[in-house]
């Protein structure tokens, strides 16, 4: 395995390929994403330890969507009219079962980093955010609205950015190139920085997709809320809310599915 440098315009191609591949089997992609999200959400509600253990499953989600994309794209290249959802699920769970040990290692690294990032916010808000995340402490509306708490949330978001970069390719490197977990984190960061232009355009293009979809769904939801306000009851308002949340989750599944193309073009198997 060696790093493959790509031109900046490749970032837009990754988004286009991700969208095209997703829409060849949208139900399978969305079902897989919701299933993995449900597992993470279930683990997150475990008292005290849930917020710490949930990040352990994030590498499983990343690899699962990548494997699903690789299967769908391979079927397309082979001339298949449409990939079968069952074949995608079989490949995904076979990969997760085969690589569960290194994926758990990556997950534990994510969890440790997450805890350290949360604890670091105590320097800003005196530990309010840390107690909410780690001890499930209920916070008053006054605390949630305080400037210190909001700054702590922003600090936590910024501190988690390096973790996202580190885990971008790590699960795929473990699966397709048999790279050790710690080394996979290093190679993931190097790949993103060496191909910064392509990844920057990739992010900008996805931001554009999210904005366009948000505007369209927001207009529809506004119309539905307006209909509910003039006497159609709360049903239209509920539909608008479900539409917004559902669209956000589908967009998240689409963006995760497209990451396989960033991996495929960033690492040369030869």
């Amino acid at each position: 395995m060696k790093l493959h440098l790509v031109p900046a315009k490749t970032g837009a191609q990754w988004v286009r390929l991700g969208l095209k591949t997703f829409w060849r089997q949208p139900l399978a992609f969305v079902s897989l994403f919701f299933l993995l999200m449900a597992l993470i959400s279930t683990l997150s509600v475990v008292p005290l330890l849930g917020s710490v253990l949930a990040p352990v499953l994030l590498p499983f989600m990343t690899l699962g969507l990548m494997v699903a994309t690789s299967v769908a794209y391979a079927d397309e290249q082979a001339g298949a009219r449409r990939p079968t959802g069952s074949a995608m699920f079989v490949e995904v769970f076979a990969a997760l079962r085969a690589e569960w040990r290194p994926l758990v290692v990556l997950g534990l690294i994510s969890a440790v980093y997450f805890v350290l990032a949360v604890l670091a916010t105590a320097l800003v808000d005196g530990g309010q955010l840390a107690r909410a995340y780690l001890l499930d402490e209920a916070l008053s509306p006054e605390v949630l609205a305080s400037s210190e708490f909001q700054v702590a949330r922003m600090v936590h978001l910024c501190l988690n950015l390096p973790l996202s970069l580190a885990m971008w390719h790590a699960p795929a490197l473990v699966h397709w190139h048999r790279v050790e977990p710690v080394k996979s984190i290093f190679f993931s960061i190097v790949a993103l920085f060496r191909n910064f232009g392509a990844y920057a355009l990739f992010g900008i293009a996805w931001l554009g997709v999210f904005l366009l979809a948000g505007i369209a769904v927001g207009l529809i939801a506004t119309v539905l809320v307006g209909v509910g306000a003039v006497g159609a009851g709360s049903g239209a308002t509920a539909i608008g809310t479900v539409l917004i949340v559902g669209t956000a989750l589908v967009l998240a599944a689409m963006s995760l599915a497209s990451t396989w193309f960033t991996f495929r073009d960033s690492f040369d198997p030869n």
Side-chain angles (χ1 to χ4, degrees):
M1 181 208 67
K2 60 182 179 180
L3 182 64
H4 184 207
L5 302 182
V6 299
K9 65 180 181 181
T10 309
Q13 297 174 3
W14 290 336
V15 175
R16 178 179 58 81
L17 287 170
L19 291 171
K20 180 181 178 182
T21 305
F22 176 89
W23 286 111
R24 296 195 75 238
Q25 190 57 271
L27 183 59
F29 276 108
V30 171
S31 299
L32 176 63
F33 178 77
F34 280 15
L35 174 61
L36 295 173
M37 279 294 297
L39 293 175
I40 294 175
S41 299
T42 301
L43 190 59
S44 67
V45 300
V46 175
L48 296 180
L49 296 178
S51 59
V52 177
L53 294 177
V56 175
L57 293 183
L58 292 179
F60 288 83
M61 171 177 282
T62 301
L63 181 60
L65 270 297
M66 282 188 169
V67 171
T69 304
S70 69
V71 172
Y73 185 73
D75 284 348
E76 179 185 5
Q77 295 302 106
R81 178 178 299 180
R82 184 178 294 274
T84 60
S86 59
M88 291 172 63
F89 273 83
V90 169
E91 290 289 337
V92 167
F93 287 105
L96 298 182
R97 183 174 64 253
E99 310 297 345
W100 72 268
R101 289 182 178 86
L103 290 177
V104 167
V105 172
L106 290 175
L108 291 174
I109 294 173
S110 298
V112 171
Y113 184 93
F114 172 82
V115 171
L116 293 176
V118 170
L119 293 176
T121 63
L123 299 174
V124 178
D125 68 349
Q128 294 170 338
L129 181 67
R131 288 193 294 271
Y133 270 120
L134 303 179
L135 302 178
D136 295 331
E137 181 177 305
L139 301 177
S140 66
E142 293 77 14
V143 171
L144 293 174
S146 65
S147 59
E148 292 84 1
F149 186 81
Q150 296 302 320
V151 171
R153 292 182 62 183
M154 290 300 300
V155 169
H156 183 247
L157 181 64
C158 293
L159 290 176
N160 275 325
L161 180 59
L163 178 63
S164 300
L165 300 180
M167 294 297 168
W168 189 291
H169 294 307
L173 286 168
V174 162
H175 175 61
W176 276 289
H177 293 299
R178 298 296 185 265
V179 180
E180 296 177 2
V182 175
K183 289 184 178 180
S184 71
I185 292 174
F186 172 76
F187 291 142
S188 178
I189 296 174
V190 171
L192 266 70
F193 278 100
R194 292 295 300 275
N195 286 312
F196 179 80
Y199 286 99
L201 185 57
F202 176 78
I204 293 171
W206 266 117
L207 179 61
V209 172
F210 273 71
L211 287 176
L212 290 174
I215 291 172
V217 173
L219 290 174
I220 296 173
T222 300
V223 171
L224 292 174
V225 171
V227 170
V230 297
S234 60
T237 302
I239 292 174
T241 302
V242 171
L243 182 62
I244 293 174
V245 175
T247 300
L249 292 175
V250 170
L251 286 171
M254 292 168 63
S255 61
L256 281 174
S258 68
T259 57
W260 178 75
F261 294 102
T262 71
F263 166 77
R264 181 199 66 175
D265 292 342
S266 293
F267 296 94
D268 188 346
N270 298 319

